[in-house]
Amino acid sequence: MESYGGRRGQAERDAITVEIGYALFSAAFAAAVLFGAVAGPAFVFDVSDGTRGTLVAVGATVAVVLFFARVVSVLLRFRQGSQPSQPGRTNPDS
């Protein structure tokens, strides 16, 4: 997605915007599901306050780590995928 000194076109800016939105929303969804899976039993079952606090803290920590890891991985994959390879195709001049 680099123009090598030139300005980005509208299509490139739109693609970047969509990809950032996808990264944020998919990361938020994954983090919420993981937080619910880790901390959910603390609210469903009768557990002590210390256990509930521990599960919520661990769930929040893991969810935050997953959120940032997901955003970074999606955006890095998008940046690297700007020049798709086409295995099996040859240069017409060869």
Side-chain angles (χ1 to χ4, degrees), residues 25-66:
F25 283 116
S26 68
F29 179 76
V33 168
L34 184 65
F35 177 78
V38 174
F43 298 105
V44 173
F45 301 112
D46 188 24
V47 296
S48 66
D49 289 339
T51 304
R52 178 175 289 131
T54 301
L55 285 174
V56 170
V58 168
T61 302
V62 173
V64 167
V65 169
L66 174 69

Side-chain angles (χ1 to χ4, degrees), residues 60-73:
T61 302
V62 173
V64 167
V65 169
L66 174 69
F67 178 84
F68 286 113
R70 176 70 180 158
V71 168
V72 168
S73 70

Side-chain angles (χ1 to χ4, degrees), residues 80-93:
Q80 292 170 353
S82 63
Q83 296 290 330
S85 63
Q86 297 176 345
R89 296 206 179 185
T90 59
N91 188 353
D93 295 332

